[in-house]
Amino acid sequence: MKRILLMVCRNIFLVPFMWVKLCYYASHVDKYSEEKRFEMLKFITTRANKGGNVTIEVHGKENIPEKDGFMFFPNHQGLYDVLAIIQACPRPFSVVAKKEVANIQFLKQVFACMKAYMIDRDDVRQAMQVIIDVADEVKNGRNYLIFAEGTRSRSGNEVQTFKGGSFKAATKARCPIVPVALIDSFVPFDSSTTKPVTVQVHFLKPLCYDEYKDMKTTEIAGQVKDAIQQTIQEQDSKFSCLL
């Protein structure tokens, strides 16, 4: 909360204008192209990060597929995760998020601008329909992000178990799966500090359909989790060597 207030205070003259613009875009999503909406979100997050002492360090942009119609699968550290990837990613994408965050102000408007899907994990029929709809959109060239852990980690950079069911949309769409390793993404919104922080976003080598078509979704989940965990451990080792 302290960092959010810092972001607002340091952009005090810009905030009212951008809030109105964000709400208008969220209420008129079909009036603007996905690229235009994403450009607006990227501007907001970039200014907020600058005001809030947050630096986004991006690695592996070359691993993002050149052709649209892929899915990101990052580890989930906190409410800030999507905003970090918005600034880091040069290509528009949407999100599948749990319904519990659907009414959090600002995130609500951001997700509306992204035409995100809110999934009810207690409603199997609704969840399956979301999977089908997302798979169809990915086939048609939209990019999506899903948090396969299902809920954010409460242990910093420790990665939780990735759920196999989270990969069903990707297998139905037969699309590239891009693991994304987030490091220290929990710090901006899920800690009380306002000290400068660097959030690392690592886009890892994608899994193409031919590589995972014969695998079970649980096996895909395990492979993606292991790639992310290995990247985090490697970065942690580098940091330890500098101390």
Side-chain angles (χ1 to χ4, degrees), residues 87-102:
Q87 181 171 338
C89 185
R91 309 267 285 286
F93 64 90
S94 188
V95 178
V96 177
K98 58 185 181 179
K99 70 171 187 177
E100 287 82 357
V101 302

Side-chain angles (χ1 to χ4, degrees), residues 84 186 218:
F186 66 93
T218 52

Side-chain angles (χ1 to χ4, degrees), residues 146-217:
I146 292 181
F147 292 109
E149 289 164 289
T151 188
R152 53 183 165 160
S153 172
R154 301 291 181 177
S155 304
N157 290 318
E158 183 177 330
V159 183
Q160 303 175 98
T161 300
F162 274 38
K163 296 176 172 60
S166 300
F167 292 84
K168 287 182 178 178
T171 58
K172 285 181 178 295
R174 301 185 176 187
C175 69
I177 291 172
V178 185
V180 182
L182 296 174
I183 300 176
D184 290 341
S185 187
F186 66 93
V187 176
F189 286 176
D190 293 87
S191 70
S192 59
T193 181
T194 58
K195 293 181 179 179
V197 58
T198 297
V199 175
Q200 296 182 43
V201 180
H202 295 257
F203 297 105
L204 308 183
K205 182 181 177 181
L207 283 173
C208 297
Y209 179 67
D210 285 344
E211 297 177 76
Y212 68 78
K213 65 180 181 180
D214 296 322
M215 298 169 62
K216 296 179 180 178
T217 54

Side-chain angles (χ1 to χ4, degrees), residues 74-157:
N75 54 312
H76 195 9
Q77 297 195 339
L79 296 173
Y80 181 76
D81 295 348
V82 171
L83 302 180
I85 298 173
I86 284 175
Q87 181 171 338
C89 185
R91 309 267 285 286
F93 64 90
S94 188
V95 178
V96 177
K98 58 185 181 179
K99 70 171 187 177
E100 287 82 357
V101 302
N103 292 316
I104 297 177
Q105 289 301 314
F106 182 66
L107 287 182
K108 175 182 178 180
Q109 286 75 23
V110 169
F111 287 151
C113 283
M114 300 176 84
K115 287 190 174 182
Y117 279 98
M118 298 295 119
I119 195 167
D120 184 349
R121 293 175 295 181
D122 296 324
D123 187 337
V124 176
R125 181 176 295 181
Q126 188 266 357
M128 283 303 301
Q129 189 58 53
V130 168
I131 289 171
I132 292 169
D133 291 343
V134 168
D136 287 342
E137 291 197 18
V138 172
K139 286 178 183 177
N140 290 322
R142 290 198 82 204
N143 309 314
Y144 268 87
L145 179 153
I146 292 181
F147 292 109
E149 289 164 289
T151 188
R152 53 183 165 160
S153 172
R154 301 291 181 177
S155 304
N157 290 318

